Amino acid sequence: MVVDFVLGAALVIMSTAALIIWLASVTRGLQATLVVGGVMTIAVLVLMAHAAMGVSLLECLQFGLVIALLVAPIIAISFADWRRTNC
């Protein structure tokens, strides 16, 4: 069961990377491309955890919220630092 999840996750990440590369060649906004790829990856991994491992969708969303609360300040600080160096 865990092996199926890991292999499926690897497949999702590789296909999302291919989609990001394709979107980068079609569009101009790198930030929009990364957001679309990130949202797709997270959504498919949540659905895979629900289907393959029997985790409820509410537990997946709660885990995603905890991860987002940990990662959001890091992204905000790096974005502010990047803007300070470029302006």
Side-chain angles (χ1 to χ4, degrees):
M1 190 180 300
V2 174
V3 174
D4 294 339
F5 179 74
V6 171
L7 291 176
L11 180 64
V12 166
I13 291 170
M14 287 188 295
S15 62
T16 304
L19 177 70
I20 288 173
I21 291 170
W22 177 76
L23 281 174
S25 67
V26 174
T27 62
R28 291 186 182 177
L30 178 65
Q31 190 175 19
T33 304
L34 292 177
V35 168
V36 167
V39 168
M40 283 184 57
T41 302
I42 291 170
V44 173
L45 287 176
V46 164
L47 290 175
M48 283 180 47
H50 173 66
M53 302 180 77
V55 180
S56 72
L57 286 176
L58 183 61
E59 290 174 350
C60 290
L61 292 175
Q62 288 173 342
F63 181 70
L65 178 64
V66 169
I67 296 298
L69 289 174
L70 293 173
V71 171
I74 296 170
I75 293 172
I77 290 169
S78 357
F79 183 70
D81 187 43
W82 174 76
R83 286 196 56 163
R84 190 173 1 143
T85 58
N86 285 341
C87 291

